[in-house]
Every structure is written in structure tokens, then in C-alpha cells.
Amino acid sequence: MSKLYDALNKQFNFEIESAYVYMAMAAYVDSKGMSGFNHFMVQQAKEEMAHARKFYDYMMEMDQTPVYTEIPAPKAEYGTFKEVFETALEHEKVVTKNIKEIYKLAQEEGCLDTQQFLNWFLEEQREEEDSFRGIVERLERINESWNGLYIYDRELAQR
Ligand code: FEO
């Protein structure tokens, strides 16, 4: 596998790892009785699996079979709900950094197909970071008040 396909394969696996991280967050918030937060995180995990599928399909189209690698155990416990979403935001920043690094590699290797393929992800990452940043800001204002948390939980159930 070339350096570029190796990077694409790593990101393919990291998207699956992202789904795993968000499912663990979903379980944590569910265990605290927040069904709306749970719904939000389960939807997020589904999106990550769809992202992984995009990498899978692209690699197959380019005649490169994706290879599944080991996935580390995700964090299971958090101190606050804000910490859950802060961790998700930091996770998304890592995804964005990875995508940009693969993009640079594709430029260096003159692979126009990969650059075009990654354009969708650049936009998606802007949206994902913006979405999590908004939730963190909202939770900062709610400041762990149960009243505010329950109202927000109902809102996130609408995703
Ligand atoms: Fe697939 Fe949230 O990055």
C-alpha cells in the first residue's frame, strides 16, 4: 500500500473508531438518564459509520482493499456532560487535522481524485466542529443545572 493509501486506510479505521467513541459516550449519557443526549450521540455514531463507508467505497474504486485494524477501548466515564462534548469536540479536531494531512499528501503525490474525494470531508468537518462547539457553549451556560440539562436533553432528542 502506498503512503497515501496507507493514510486513507488509517482514516477509514479512525472513522470506525469515532463511531465506537460516540457509542461509548451514548452509553454514558444514557446511564445518567439523558435520552436526548443519547439519541444525539447514537446519530453521530451512525454518521461516523457512513464516513467510514465513504472511505471504504473510495478505496475500492481505486482498487485498494481497505484493511480493518484494531480499535482501542473508548473512554467510558466522564465527570460532567460538558466534558463529554468537549472530548467529542477535541476528537473532531483530530479528525480535521488527519483529513488535512491526507489532503497535503494527495497534493504531494499529485492525486487529484483523492483531493476531490476529501473536499466533502473538509466541509463536513467544519460543520461537525461547529456543531460540537455550539453544544459545549450551551452546556457552559447551563452549568450542570438539572433544570437546564433536562430542557436541553429534550431539544437534542429532535436531531
Ligand atoms: Fe467522521 Fe466526525 O468525523
Side-chain angles (χ1 to χ4, degrees), residues 19-44:
Y20 208 40
V21 165
Y22 294 138
M23 286 308 287
M25 287 179 177
Y28 171 79
V29 294
D30 201 15
S31 77
K32 303 290 175 198
M34 307 305 273
S35 56
F37 286 14
N38 171 261
H39 171 78
F40 181 95
M41 278 302 181
V42 170
Q43 291 305 112
Q44 187 63 36

PDB file of all heavy atoms in Angstrom, residues 19-44:
ATOM      1  N   ALA A  19     -16.971   6.230  15.628  1.00  0.00           N
ATOM      2  CA  ALA A  19     -18.304   5.673  15.923  1.00  0.00           C
ATOM      3  C   ALA A  19     -18.280   4.970  17.288  1.00  0.00           C
ATOM      4  O   ALA A  19     -19.195   5.119  18.097  1.00  0.00           O
ATOM      5  CB  ALA A  19     -18.722   4.696  14.831  1.00  0.00           C
ATOM      6  N   TYR A  20     -17.204   4.247  17.537  1.00  0.00           N
ATOM      7  CA  TYR A  20     -17.044   3.499  18.784  1.00  0.00           C
ATOM      8  C   TYR A  20     -16.971   4.459  19.989  1.00  0.00           C
ATOM      9  O   TYR A  20     -17.625   4.245  21.017  1.00  0.00           O
ATOM     10  CB  TYR A  20     -15.747   2.698  18.647  1.00  0.00           C
ATOM     11  CG  TYR A  20     -15.659   1.415  19.428  1.00  0.00           C
ATOM     12  CD1 TYR A  20     -16.736   0.548  19.552  1.00  0.00           C
ATOM     13  CD2 TYR A  20     -14.451   1.054  20.033  1.00  0.00           C
ATOM     14  CE1 TYR A  20     -16.620  -0.627  20.269  1.00  0.00           C
ATOM     15  CE2 TYR A  20     -14.323  -0.128  20.745  1.00  0.00           C
ATOM     16  CZ  TYR A  20     -15.412  -0.958  20.853  1.00  0.00           C
ATOM     17  OH  TYR A  20     -15.289  -2.116  21.561  1.00  0.00           O
ATOM     18  N   VAL A  21     -16.211   5.555  19.799  1.00  0.00           N
ATOM     19  CA  VAL A  21     -16.080   6.585  20.850  1.00  0.00           C
ATOM     20  C   VAL A  21     -17.459   7.182  21.151  1.00  0.00           C
ATOM     21  O   VAL A  21     -17.848   7.329  22.323  1.00  0.00           O
ATOM     22  CB  VAL A  21     -15.092   7.697  20.377  1.00  0.00           C
ATOM     23  CG1 VAL A  21     -15.204   8.955  21.236  1.00  0.00           C
ATOM     24  CG2 VAL A  21     -13.657   7.179  20.371  1.00  0.00           C
ATOM     25  N   TYR A  22     -18.228   7.503  20.095  1.00  0.00           N
ATOM     26  CA  TYR A  22     -19.529   8.140  20.311  1.00  0.00           C
ATOM     27  C   TYR A  22     -20.568   7.159  20.872  1.00  0.00           C
ATOM     28  O   TYR A  22     -21.445   7.573  21.631  1.00  0.00           O
ATOM     29  CB  TYR A  22     -20.023   8.812  19.017  1.00  0.00           C
ATOM     30  CG  TYR A  22     -19.134   9.977  18.618  1.00  0.00           C
ATOM     31  CD1 TYR A  22     -18.752  10.203  17.308  1.00  0.00           C
ATOM     32  CD2 TYR A  22     -18.649  10.857  19.597  1.00  0.00           C
ATOM     33  CE1 TYR A  22     -17.919  11.263  16.966  1.00  0.00           C
ATOM     34  CE2 TYR A  22     -17.810  11.913  19.261  1.00  0.00           C
ATOM     35  CZ  TYR A  22     -17.450  12.110  17.943  1.00  0.00           C
ATOM     36  OH  TYR A  22     -16.623  13.148  17.622  1.00  0.00           O
ATOM     37  N   MET A  23     -20.464   5.889  20.526  1.00  0.00           N
ATOM     38  CA  MET A  23     -21.383   4.919  21.115  1.00  0.00           C
ATOM     39  C   MET A  23     -21.115   4.776  22.613  1.00  0.00           C
ATOM     40  O   MET A  23     -22.040   4.599  23.409  1.00  0.00           O
ATOM     41  CB  MET A  23     -21.263   3.547  20.412  1.00  0.00           C
ATOM     42  CG  MET A  23     -21.890   3.488  19.037  1.00  0.00           C
ATOM     43  SD  MET A  23     -23.607   4.068  18.930  1.00  0.00           S
ATOM     44  CE  MET A  23     -24.474   2.739  19.733  1.00  0.00           C
ATOM     45  N   ALA A  24     -19.826   4.861  22.994  1.00  0.00           N
ATOM     46  CA  ALA A  24     -19.484   4.792  24.432  1.00  0.00           C
ATOM     47  C   ALA A  24     -19.998   6.038  25.156  1.00  0.00           C
ATOM     48  O   ALA A  24     -20.477   5.955  26.294  1.00  0.00           O
ATOM     49  CB  ALA A  24     -17.973   4.645  24.610  1.00  0.00           C
ATOM     50  N   MET A  25     -19.928   7.189  24.481  1.00  0.00           N
ATOM     51  CA  MET A  25     -20.474   8.421  25.077  1.00  0.00           C
ATOM     52  C   MET A  25     -21.990   8.284  25.189  1.00  0.00           C
ATOM     53  O   MET A  25     -22.587   8.706  26.190  1.00  0.00           O
ATOM     54  CB  MET A  25     -20.131   9.632  24.203  1.00  0.00           C
ATOM     55  CG  MET A  25     -18.685  10.045  24.282  1.00  0.00           C
ATOM     56  SD  MET A  25     -18.358  11.448  23.194  1.00  0.00           S
ATOM     57  CE  MET A  25     -16.622  11.737  23.577  1.00  0.00           C
ATOM     58  N   ALA A  26     -22.615   7.684  24.167  1.00  0.00           N
ATOM     59  CA  ALA A  26     -24.071   7.466  24.178  1.00  0.00           C
ATOM     60  C   ALA A  26     -24.460   6.613  25.390  1.00  0.00           C
ATOM     61  O   ALA A  26     -25.442   6.904  26.081  1.00  0.00           O
ATOM     62  CB  ALA A  26     -24.514   6.794  22.885  1.00  0.00           C
ATOM     63  N   ALA A  27     -23.661   5.586  25.655  1.00  0.00           N
ATOM     64  CA  ALA A  27     -23.956   4.702  26.797  1.00  0.00           C
ATOM     65  C   ALA A  27     -23.802   5.470  28.115  1.00  0.00           C
ATOM     66  O   ALA A  27     -24.614   5.315  29.034  1.00  0.00           O
ATOM     67  CB  ALA A  27     -23.020   3.494  26.773  1.00  0.00           C
ATOM     68  N   TYR A  28     -22.775   6.325  28.180  1.00  0.00           N
ATOM     69  CA  TYR A  28     -22.555   7.087  29.417  1.00  0.00           C
ATOM     70  C   TYR A  28     -23.745   8.011  29.702  1.00  0.00           C
ATOM     71  O   TYR A  28     -24.304   7.996  30.798  1.00  0.00           O
ATOM     72  CB  TYR A  28     -21.250   7.904  29.341  1.00  0.00           C
ATOM     73  CG  TYR A  28     -21.112   8.857  30.495  1.00  0.00           C
ATOM     74  CD1 TYR A  28     -20.693   8.392  31.752  1.00  0.00           C
ATOM     75  CD2 TYR A  28     -21.451  10.205  30.365  1.00  0.00           C
ATOM     76  CE1 TYR A  28     -20.607   9.259  32.836  1.00  0.00           C
ATOM     77  CE2 TYR A  28     -21.371  11.071  31.440  1.00  0.00           C
ATOM     78  CZ  TYR A  28     -20.950  10.600  32.667  1.00  0.00           C
ATOM     79  OH  TYR A  28     -20.881  11.448  33.744  1.00  0.00           O
ATOM     80  N   VAL A  29     -24.153   8.803  28.680  1.00  0.00           N
ATOM     81  CA  VAL A  29     -25.253   9.747  28.927  1.00  0.00           C
ATOM     82  C   VAL A  29     -26.573   8.999  29.169  1.00  0.00           C
ATOM     83  O   VAL A  29     -27.403   9.439  29.965  1.00  0.00           O
ATOM     84  CB  VAL A  29     -25.391  10.811  27.795  1.00  0.00           C
ATOM     85  CG1 VAL A  29     -24.190  11.724  27.771  1.00  0.00           C
ATOM     86  CG2 VAL A  29     -25.610  10.185  26.425  1.00  0.00           C
ATOM     87  N   ASP A  30     -26.732   7.842  28.523  1.00  0.00           N
ATOM     88  CA  ASP A  30     -27.925   7.016  28.735  1.00  0.00           C
ATOM     89  C   ASP A  30     -27.973   6.537  30.188  1.00  0.00           C
ATOM     90  O   ASP A  30     -29.029   6.547  30.828  1.00  0.00           O
ATOM     91  CB  ASP A  30     -27.866   5.817  27.775  1.00  0.00           C
ATOM     92  CG  ASP A  30     -29.231   5.198  27.531  1.00  0.00           C
ATOM     93  OD1 ASP A  30     -30.246   5.845  27.863  1.00  0.00           O
ATOM     94  OD2 ASP A  30     -29.281   4.068  27.006  1.00  0.00           O
ATOM     95  N   SER A  31     -26.801   6.157  30.705  1.00  0.00           N
ATOM     96  CA  SER A  31     -26.746   5.653  32.087  1.00  0.00           C
ATOM     97  C   SER A  31     -27.102   6.754  33.093  1.00  0.00           C
ATOM     98  O   SER A  31     -27.455   6.475  34.235  1.00  0.00           O
ATOM     99  CB  SER A  31     -25.358   5.079  32.397  1.00  0.00           C
ATOM    100  OG  SER A  31     -24.434   6.129  32.633  1.00  0.00           O
ATOM    101  N   LYS A  32     -27.000   8.015  32.644  1.00  0.00           N
ATOM    102  CA  LYS A  32     -27.361   9.151  33.519  1.00  0.00           C
ATOM    103  C   LYS A  32     -28.788   9.624  33.234  1.00  0.00           C
ATOM    104  O   LYS A  32     -29.198  10.701  33.676  1.00  0.00           O
ATOM    105  CB  LYS A  32     -26.384  10.324  33.315  1.00  0.00           C
ATOM    106  CG  LYS A  32     -24.934   9.990  33.551  1.00  0.00           C
ATOM    107  CD  LYS A  32     -24.655   9.753  35.020  1.00  0.00           C
ATOM    108  CE  LYS A  32     -23.223   9.295  35.217  1.00  0.00           C
ATOM    109  NZ  LYS A  32     -22.998   8.664  36.524  1.00  0.00           N
ATOM    110  N   GLY A  33     -29.521   8.854  32.419  1.00  0.00           N
ATOM    111  CA  GLY A  33     -30.939   9.162  32.181  1.00  0.00           C
ATOM    112  C   GLY A  33     -31.196  10.236  31.136  1.00  0.00           C
ATOM    113  O   GLY A  33     -32.310  10.761  31.052  1.00  0.00           O
ATOM    114  N   MET A  34     -30.161  10.568  30.307  1.00  0.00           N
ATOM    115  CA  MET A  34     -30.346  11.622  29.307  1.00  0.00           C
ATOM    116  C   MET A  34     -30.637  10.986  27.938  1.00  0.00           C
ATOM    117  O   MET A  34     -29.724  10.722  27.155  1.00  0.00           O
ATOM    118  CB  MET A  34     -29.097  12.509  29.237  1.00  0.00           C
ATOM    119  CG  MET A  34     -28.666  13.064  30.585  1.00  0.00           C
ATOM    120  SD  MET A  34     -29.994  13.963  31.428  1.00  0.00           S
ATOM    121  CE  MET A  34     -29.767  15.588  30.746  1.00  0.00           C
ATOM    122  N   SER A  35     -31.921  10.764  27.664  1.00  0.00           N
ATOM    123  CA  SER A  35     -32.264  10.046  26.425  1.00  0.00           C
ATOM    124  C   SER A  35     -32.058  10.896  25.173  1.00  0.00           C
ATOM    125  O   SER A  35     -31.780  10.358  24.095  1.00  0.00           O
ATOM    126  CB  SER A  35     -33.688   9.509  26.502  1.00  0.00           C
ATOM    127  OG  SER A  35     -34.573  10.569  26.770  1.00  0.00           O
ATOM    128  N   GLY A  36     -32.197  12.220  25.307  1.00  0.00           N
ATOM    129  CA  GLY A  36     -31.966  13.098  24.156  1.00  0.00           C
ATOM    130  C   GLY A  36     -30.491  13.146  23.785  1.00  0.00           C
ATOM    131  O   GLY A  36     -30.131  13.082  22.605  1.00  0.00           O
ATOM    132  N   PHE A  37     -29.632  13.268  24.792  1.00  0.00           N
ATOM    133  CA  PHE A  37     -28.177  13.261  24.561  1.00  0.00           C
ATOM    134  C   PHE A  37     -27.786  11.916  23.940  1.00  0.00           C
ATOM    135  O   PHE A  37     -26.960  11.845  23.048  1.00  0.00           O
ATOM    136  CB  PHE A  37     -27.397  13.430  25.874  1.00  0.00           C
ATOM    137  CG  PHE A  37     -27.414  14.826  26.461  1.00  0.00           C
ATOM    138  CD1 PHE A  37     -28.304  15.791  26.015  1.00  0.00           C
ATOM    139  CD2 PHE A  37     -26.527  15.167  27.482  1.00  0.00           C
ATOM    140  CE1 PHE A  37     -28.316  17.073  26.567  1.00  0.00           C
ATOM    141  CE2 PHE A  37     -26.526  16.439  28.033  1.00  0.00           C
ATOM    142  CZ  PHE A  37     -27.430  17.393  27.581  1.00  0.00           C
ATOM    143  N   ASN A  38     -28.410  10.853  24.455  1.00  0.00           N
ATOM    144  CA  ASN A  38     -28.145   9.504  23.936  1.00  0.00           C
ATOM    145  C   ASN A  38     -28.509   9.431  22.449  1.00  0.00           C
ATOM    146  O   ASN A  38     -27.720   8.972  21.626  1.00  0.00           O
ATOM    147  CB  ASN A  38     -28.940   8.475  24.749  1.00  0.00           C
ATOM    148  CG  ASN A  38     -28.862   7.093  24.116  1.00  0.00           C
ATOM    149  OD1 ASN A  38     -29.755   6.651  23.403  1.00  0.00           O
ATOM    150  ND2 ASN A  38     -27.770   6.406  24.355  1.00  0.00           N
ATOM    151  N   HIS A  39     -29.693   9.918  22.126  1.00  0.00           N
ATOM    152  CA  HIS A  39     -30.149   9.915  20.735  1.00  0.00           C
ATOM    153  C   HIS A  39     -29.162  10.673  19.844  1.00  0.00           C
ATOM    154  O   HIS A  39     -28.781  10.198  18.767  1.00  0.00           O
ATOM    155  CB  HIS A  39     -31.544  10.549  20.650  1.00  0.00           C
ATOM    156  CG  HIS A  39     -32.012  10.788  19.259  1.00  0.00           C
ATOM    157  ND1 HIS A  39     -32.502   9.790  18.458  1.00  0.00           N
ATOM    158  CD2 HIS A  39     -32.019  11.933  18.497  1.00  0.00           C
ATOM    159  CE1 HIS A  39     -32.815  10.299  17.271  1.00  0.00           C
ATOM    160  NE2 HIS A  39     -32.522  11.592  17.271  1.00  0.00           N
ATOM    161  N   PHE A  40     -28.725  11.833  20.307  1.00  0.00           N
ATOM    162  CA  PHE A  40     -27.774  12.658  19.543  1.00  0.00           C
ATOM    163  C   PHE A  40     -26.494  11.880  19.265  1.00  0.00           C
ATOM    164  O   PHE A  40     -25.999  11.849  18.138  1.00  0.00           O
ATOM    165  CB  PHE A  40     -27.460  13.942  20.330  1.00  0.00           C
ATOM    166  CG  PHE A  40     -26.499  14.855  19.611  1.00  0.00           C
ATOM    167  CD1 PHE A  40     -26.976  15.901  18.817  1.00  0.00           C
ATOM    168  CD2 PHE A  40     -25.123  14.669  19.710  1.00  0.00           C
ATOM    169  CE1 PHE A  40     -26.085  16.734  18.132  1.00  0.00           C
ATOM    170  CE2 PHE A  40     -24.230  15.496  19.030  1.00  0.00           C
ATOM    171  CZ  PHE A  40     -24.721  16.531  18.247  1.00  0.00           C
ATOM    172  N   MET A  41     -25.963  11.235  20.292  1.00  0.00           N
ATOM    173  CA  MET A  41     -24.694  10.522  20.138  1.00  0.00           C
ATOM    174  C   MET A  41     -24.826   9.267  19.263  1.00  0.00           C
ATOM    175  O   MET A  41     -23.915   8.932  18.520  1.00  0.00           O
ATOM    176  CB  MET A  41     -24.124  10.127  21.509  1.00  0.00           C
ATOM    177  CG  MET A  41     -23.384  11.257  22.187  1.00  0.00           C
ATOM    178  SD  MET A  41     -22.005  11.871  21.169  1.00  0.00           S
ATOM    179  CE  MET A  41     -21.359  13.150  22.254  1.00  0.00           C
ATOM    180  N   VAL A  42     -25.986   8.603  19.362  1.00  0.00           N
ATOM    181  CA  VAL A  42     -26.197   7.422  18.506  1.00  0.00           C
ATOM    182  C   VAL A  42     -26.259   7.870  17.039  1.00  0.00           C
ATOM    183  O   VAL A  42     -25.668   7.237  16.156  1.00  0.00           O
ATOM    184  CB  VAL A  42     -27.480   6.652  18.925  1.00  0.00           C
ATOM    185  CG1 VAL A  42     -27.835   5.585  17.901  1.00  0.00           C
ATOM    186  CG2 VAL A  42     -27.293   6.011  20.305  1.00  0.00           C
ATOM    187  N   GLN A  43     -26.934   9.004  16.790  1.00  0.00           N
ATOM    188  CA  GLN A  43     -26.988   9.535  15.420  1.00  0.00           C
ATOM    189  C   GLN A  43     -25.584   9.882  14.935  1.00  0.00           C
ATOM    190  O   GLN A  43     -25.224   9.629  13.792  1.00  0.00           O
ATOM    191  CB  GLN A  43     -27.873  10.803  15.363  1.00  0.00           C
ATOM    192  CG  GLN A  43     -29.342  10.559  15.591  1.00  0.00           C
ATOM    193  CD  GLN A  43     -29.908   9.522  14.649  1.00  0.00           C
ATOM    194  OE1 GLN A  43     -30.286   8.439  15.066  1.00  0.00           O
ATOM    195  NE2 GLN A  43     -29.940   9.811  13.371  1.00  0.00           N
ATOM    196  N   GLN A  44     -24.807  10.476  15.838  1.00  0.00           N
ATOM    197  CA  GLN A  44     -23.427  10.858  15.498  1.00  0.00           C
ATOM    198  C   GLN A  44     -22.610   9.616  15.121  1.00  0.00           C
ATOM    199  O   GLN A  44     -21.867   9.623  14.138  1.00  0.00           O
ATOM    200  CB  GLN A  44     -22.794  11.594  16.691  1.00  0.00           C
ATOM    201  CG  GLN A  44     -21.428  12.186  16.402  1.00  0.00           C
ATOM    202  CD  GLN A  44     -21.452  13.267  15.327  1.00  0.00           C
ATOM    203  OE1 GLN A  44     -22.401  14.039  15.246  1.00  0.00           O
ATOM    204  NE2 GLN A  44     -20.435  13.291  14.489  1.00  0.00           N
TER     205      GLN A  44
END
